[in-house]
Amino acid sequence: MPFLGQDWRSPGWSWIKTEDGWKRYESWSQELERENNQCNINHSIILNSEDEEIFNNEEHEYASKKRKKDHFRNDANTPCFYREKWIYVHKESTRERHSYCTLGEAFNRLDFSSAIQDIRRFNYVVRLLQLIAKSQLTSLSGVAQKNYFNILDKIVRKVLDDHQNPRLIKDLLQDLSSTLCILIRGEGKSVLVGNINIWLCRLETILTWQQQLQNLQMTKHVNHGLTLSDLPLHVLSNILYRLSDGWDIVTLGQVTPALSVLSEDRQLWKKLCQYHFADKQFCRHLVLSEEGHVEWKRTYFALQKYYPTREQYGDTLHFCRHCSILFWKDSGHPCTAADPDSCFTPVSPQHFIDLFKF
């Protein structure tokens, strides 16, 4: 007889011949589960009102222990990474390749765990994690989820150890916790891949990380060598002009009185507005003083609310248009083009996400 199954590509169910005809064979475990379901009795029938409260408390404790046990089992598994630090990006099947590439698979294979140790790639990876947290969290497979939170744990530990870039991680954790709260409360199990108890424990871990970063105290380093205060004013000004983030300028201005004065330079903030925004954009949101002068610092932060700033990274992923391969430029990939460098295109974090939208 022909194979009958849920999927025509599957080998089909197991069948046995009986006196009444062919019947689908079921394993003993399925039969046992069916018998257990038939034997289940509502606890409200056998418990009185006093015992009901005790039962609910024990049930709550059991659920809490089970949630922690599921979370421990999930974290105990070692994250999966691949030796090759590149991946072939294909969105549809062909005669030669009957498969497609997902965001989770790319996240597993591109070795972001090592990338966060490179100061050139740190901001890039953090921004990528933030975009995934905002819109693509539900598309990650179970292995990709483990890698995601494993990398996030390493990032938080790194920030707590070296006290660098805490603001970036606070923004990332805030977006991640907001997304998880919406998914767990609003939509729940229907969209989250994996056990709901694991996601609840992950949310608790995120809240713990946020509290640790909130309590982070910057230690003052005692250095008897050359400091920022010893540099000439024109050198300090050049440093400020090389910063592309307005918040970095504000933070650096709090270090010394001289930097505080230089960080209020109108020309500095005007250059920053012109770098990040088009003329039509900042002309619509100019902030004027009482004297009628443009306050470029306030204009910059006003524009941030309406338009995205230009992203700048020390190193990014690259995409080879000839081979359709996504890779880190330092690691390279097996390119067959005559002039490989002409085929490489830098990939922004948003472009990375768009590559895997179907």
Side-chain angles (χ1 to χ4, degrees), residues 87-91 100-107 110 136 139 317 326 350-358:
I87 186 170
Y88 179 80
V89 180
H90 46 98
K91 294 187 177 182
Y100 61 92
C101 181
T102 64
L103 175 64
E105 184 180 0
F107 190 80
L110 289 172
Q136 302 296 320
S139 65
L317 286 168
L326 194 64
Q350 185 60 54
H351 185 199
F352 178 89
I353 300 295
D354 294 339
L355 282 174
F356 302 98
K357 287 184 177 179
F358 298 95

Side-chain angles (χ1 to χ4, degrees), residues 67-83:
R67 185 167 67 246
K68 293 180 179 180
K69 183 179 180 181
D70 291 337
H71 182 60
F72 174 78
R73 184 186 299 116
N74 182 74
D75 287 349
N77 297 329
T78 304
C80 177
F81 294 103
Y82 294 81
R83 182 174 300 176

Side-chain angles (χ1 to χ4, degrees), residues 158-173:
K158 185 176 185 298
V159 172
L160 293 176
D161 291 340
D162 58 22
H163 297 177
Q164 294 182 10
N165 300 306
R167 179 171 54 84
L168 293 177
I169 312 307
K170 288 180 181 179
D171 294 341
L172 167 59
L173 295 179

Side-chain angles (χ1 to χ4, degrees), residues 184-328:
I184 292 175
R185 295 176 182 174
E187 303 179 33
K189 300 178 182 179
S190 60
V191 294
L192 290 172
V193 178
N195 193 325
I196 191 66
N197 294 327
I198 293 176
W199 285 105
L200 291 174
C201 278
R202 286 170 176 168
L203 183 58
E204 294 176 2
T205 303
I206 293 170
L207 297 178
T208 302
W209 287 338
Q210 288 178 314
Q211 188 63 38
Q212 291 175 346
L213 291 173
Q214 193 68 27
N215 298 332
L216 181 63
Q217 298 291 333
M218 297 295 181
T219 57
K220 186 176 181 180
H221 297 281
V222 178
N223 189 357
H224 301 288
L226 188 66
T227 63
L228 284 175
S229 303
D230 302 322
L231 297 176
L233 291 179
H234 71 276
V235 175
L236 296 176
S237 180
N238 287 335
I239 294 175
L240 289 170
Y241 270 87
R242 292 180 181 274
L243 299 178
S244 60
D245 191 336
W247 284 109
D248 290 339
I249 295 177
V250 173
T251 304
L252 188 57
Q254 299 173 355
V255 176
T256 64
L259 285 170
S260 177
V261 175
L262 293 174
S263 65
E264 298 295 332
D265 183 16
R266 294 180 65 253
Q267 191 66 23
L268 170 66
W269 290 99
K270 180 179 179 180
K271 293 275 188 183
L272 199 62
C273 289
Q274 293 174 341
Y275 174 76
H276 286 287
F277 310 105
D279 293 342
K280 293 182 180 179
Q281 293 176 338
F282 66 75
C283 286
R284 296 175 184 174
H285 302 280
L286 287 177
V287 180
L288 303 178
S289 63
E290 296 179 356
E291 293 80 11
H293 301 297
V294 179
E295 295 190 8
W296 291 106
K297 181 179 179 179
R298 294 177 58 188
T299 299
Y300 170 81
F301 288 108
L303 288 168
Q304 269 193 327
K305 300 177 181 179
Y306 298 98
Y307 309 105
T309 57
R310 180 186 297 183
E311 297 178 354
Q312 187 178 21
Y313 305 103
D315 190 17
T316 67
L317 286 168
H318 284 69
F319 182 73
C320 180
R321 298 187 301 274
H322 177 78
C323 306
S324 296
I325 287 179
L326 194 64
F327 65 100
W328 293 106

